[in-house]
Amino acid sequence: VCEDPPMPCRAYAKQRQMTLGTPDIVTAPSQHAIDVHRDHGFFQGVNTQRVRLGIDRVKDDPPPITDSKSVLYVGQHTEAKGLETLFAAADRLPDVTFHVCGTGPYAERTEGVAAKRENVEYHGFVSEDALADLRRIVAAGIVPSSWMENSPMTIYESYAAGLPMIGSNIGGIPELIDPGETGYLFEPKDSDELAEAIQRLFDENRA
């Protein structure tokens, strides 16, 4: 998404506007996605509705607060997912274990980081059962994206397992996190803020 799109992008967007026409209603998992389209000339005068994503199961009771100081990243391994921010936060919090799951073009970089840091554990692709086990032992999930996410499914799934979330204040992420209630937000690419949010979580858990 560009502030001043180049000519080929503007031409493509115009073509898409004509193709999509004027539907009766437009839905999206986040208000952010709706707003971005409208900002670029789509769906003017059309009714819109945010319809959040659904999940199959919700845990009856949240897991007990664990004494183990650990957090969890689950998602694709690309640069835009903010993994460098996560790694830098791990450097600032050597007493916190960072469990990292998923695969993608950045996986080799993640493997290298995990090999050099005792507090970063890279699990690669994991099964649903293995992921559920990890969510039972960690204190929070992390979504450190540096690009405008729509409505990350990992946040819904973490809440369903009773986990708070710490996420970048970008895209649709802040629509899903109520700071101080369901987790914390930090500015994208700011590893200091991410480390502070993680530490705040543990400080409050100990209170």
Side-chain angles (χ1 to χ4, degrees):
V1 177
C2 307
E3 292 296 330
D4 185 19
M7 183 59 72
C9 291
R10 291 201 297 270
Y12 177 73
K14 191 68 176 179
Q15 181 186 35
R16 292 294 296 161
Q17 289 175 33
M18 294 174 63
T19 302
L20 293 171
T22 307
D24 295 323
I25 188 169
V26 170
T27 68
S30 69
Q31 187 62 42
H32 165 76
I34 294 171
D35 292 343
V36 166
H37 278 84
R38 282 188 159 168
D39 288 345
H40 287 77
F42 287 77
F43 312 129
Q44 301 301 314
V46 174
N47 290 328
T48 61
Q49 179 66 51
R50 180 182 67 177
V51 179
R52 289 183 171 174
L53 301 176
I55 49 179
D56 291 331
R57 292 174 294 174
V58 176
K59 191 175 179 66
D60 292 332
D61 298 302
I65 295 172
T66 174
D67 292 332
S68 173
K69 297 178 70 173
S70 58
V71 294
L72 174 67
Y73 169 85
V74 180
Q76 291 184 335
H77 282 241
T78 62
E79 187 173 359
K81 291 293 186 177
L83 288 166
E84 290 297 343
T85 305
L86 188 75
F87 301 151
D91 286 339
R92 288 162 173 77
L93 298 171
D95 60 334
V96 176
T97 300
F98 288 70
H99 294 279
V100 184
C101 299
T103 60
Y106 222 64
E108 186 174 342
R109 165 65 176 157
T110 306
E111 289 176 357
V113 169
K116 295 177 181 178
R117 291 168 175 80
E118 292 185 357
N119 67 327
V120 177
E121 296 188 16
Y122 178 48
H123 301 271
F125 174 81
V126 296
S127 67
E128 288 189 13
D129 289 342
L131 182 55
D133 289 340
L134 282 170
R135 284 183 168 138
R136 278 192 285 268
I137 66 170
V138 301
I142 310 291
V143 182
S145 297
S146 59
W147 76 305
M148 293 188 293
E149 296 274 6
N150 183 357
S151 195
M153 193 66 187
T154 186
I155 297 181
Y156 296 85
E157 292 173 342
S158 295
Y159 285 160
L163 281 182
M165 292 298 301
I166 299 174
S168 301
N169 189 17
I170 192 171
I173 294 173
E175 296 179 34
L176 299 176
I177 298 176
D178 185 3
E181 294 293 332
T182 62
Y184 295 105
L185 295 169
F186 67 95
E187 288 306 304
K189 299 184 179 180
D190 192 329
S191 56
D192 287 332
E193 273 200 18
L194 172 55
E196 289 170 5
I198 294 171
Q199 190 60 59
R200 190 181 311 129
L201 177 82
F202 288 116
D203 288 342
E204 291 191 355
N205 280 351
R206 287 198 297 270

